[in-house]
Amino acid sequence: MNAGLRRIRKELGQRLKIYRARRARARSKATFIGVTGSSGKSTAVSLLGHILAGHGRTYTRVLANTINSLVSTLYRHMNKHGEVDYVVFEAGASGVDTIRPMAQLLKPHVAVVTMVQLEHFSSFKALENVAREKRALVEALGPDGLAVLNADDPNVLAMASGGAHRLVTFGESETADYRVADISAAYPRTLSFTLHCRAGVLKLKTPFPGEHFWLPTAAAAATALELGVPARMVE
């Protein structure tokens, strides 16, 4: 088989996988959650998957955050594991216009954005381009969708504009819907902090050794609570 035929065969195979993935997504009754951000997304996905697993059948895809991984998740792994209640997927940006195809295939009910920093400089060049790329996940939400955004990052908070979906925020900001306070991770104690929200005041204790882990922890907690997980299962 020559190189041209091999390429055609490979392209047809990939198209078939995407077709099957779209069908699997259309048939599924699960709640699909996409998480992106320049930092903290893997921790947020892992924590959220762990919390949701105590509330319903959950499939979590972390670190493997490309379009190929999403295709595999939808058409292969979901069929293997049967119907689930939640799918939590980490969406990574490796370059310009890499999140949008994932977002359009995932069709998230919930989009979580942790933060925006300048990454993959050779591809993005400027912070605004990174923010635009991450925003694609939020833009894929339907009118009944939910955006969970970092209130402390103006580039993330700006993603709230222009959408008909519901919005909640988390962070240290006084205006955050899920306000973080009393952050402490003094050795040998691990990270703990207080989360102020409609559900009341939650005292969160984690196994993490550093204060910076408060952000993905708060993102996961806020998302779980918005999805109806009881506060006692989040603490």
Side-chain angles (χ1 to χ4, degrees):
M1 185 183 296
N2 63 39
L5 287 176
R6 283 197 298 271
R7 184 173 63 254
I8 292 172
R9 185 173 180 177
K10 182 177 180 180
E11 290 175 356
L12 290 175
Q14 182 63 14
R15 289 183 184 181
L16 179 59
K17 290 179 181 178
I18 292 174
Y19 170 75
R20 290 175 174 172
R22 291 188 190 282
R23 287 191 61 188
R25 172 63 184 89
R27 291 195 303 265
S28 179
K29 296 179 181 179
T31 296
F32 286 80
I33 305 149
V35 181
T36 193
S38 300
S39 181
K41 58 184 178 292
S42 297
T43 304
V45 167
S46 297
L47 282 174
L48 181 57
H50 175 73
I51 296 170
L52 291 177
H55 188 63
R57 294 163 298 177
T58 304
Y59 181 81
T60 303
R61 190 73 174 213
V62 65
L63 294 177
N65 54 24
T66 65
I67 183 67
N68 289 335
S69 176
L70 177 57
V71 169
S72 176
T73 293
L74 292 173
Y75 98 93
R76 179 179 298 165
H77 293 283
M78 285 184 61
N79 289 333
K80 178 180 178 181
H81 292 276
E83 187 58 67
V84 295
D85 299 302
Y86 303 100
V87 175
V88 189
F89 183 80
E90 176 184 341
S94 57
V96 175
D97 205 31
T98 51
I99 286 186
R100 189 172 304 280
M102 283 188 278
Q104 292 173 345
L105 181 57
L106 184 66
K107 295 183 183 299
H109 298 98
V110 182
V112 183
V113 186
T114 59
M115 66 171 65
V116 171
Q117 295 177 337
L118 187 53
E119 55 183 316
H120 302 292
F121 180 79
S122 60
S123 296
F124 291 115
K125 309 297 185 185
L127 193 65
E128 293 79 9
N129 296 330
V130 179
R132 188 179 302 113
E133 187 67 25
K134 307 297 185 186
R135 187 185 183 112
L137 187 67
V138 179
E139 291 175 339
L141 291 169
D144 57 346
L146 168 66
V148 182
L149 304 179
N150 181 354
D152 301 334
D153 188 329
N155 289 294
V156 176
L157 200 56
M159 299 177 192
S161 63
H165 48 262
R166 192 161 62 90
L167 165 71
V168 296
T169 59
F170 64 92
E172 295 183 275
S173 170
E174 290 291 335
T175 62
D177 298 304
Y178 290 84
R179 183 171 63 84
V180 174
D182 307 318
I183 301 170
S184 176
Y187 183 82
R189 296 189 301 274
T190 55
L191 169 69
S192 65
F193 62 89
T194 303
L195 189 65
H196 298 264
C197 57
R198 290 190 301 273
V201 180
L202 280 65
K203 302 289 187 179
L204 300 184
K205 296 181 180 181
T206 81
F208 301 123
E211 288 189 3
H212 63 284
F213 282 105
W214 74 261
L215 192 149
T217 303
T223 305
L225 290 166
E226 287 295 316
L227 289 172
V229 178
R232 59 179 172 77
M233 296 180 64
V234 175
E235 284 187 297

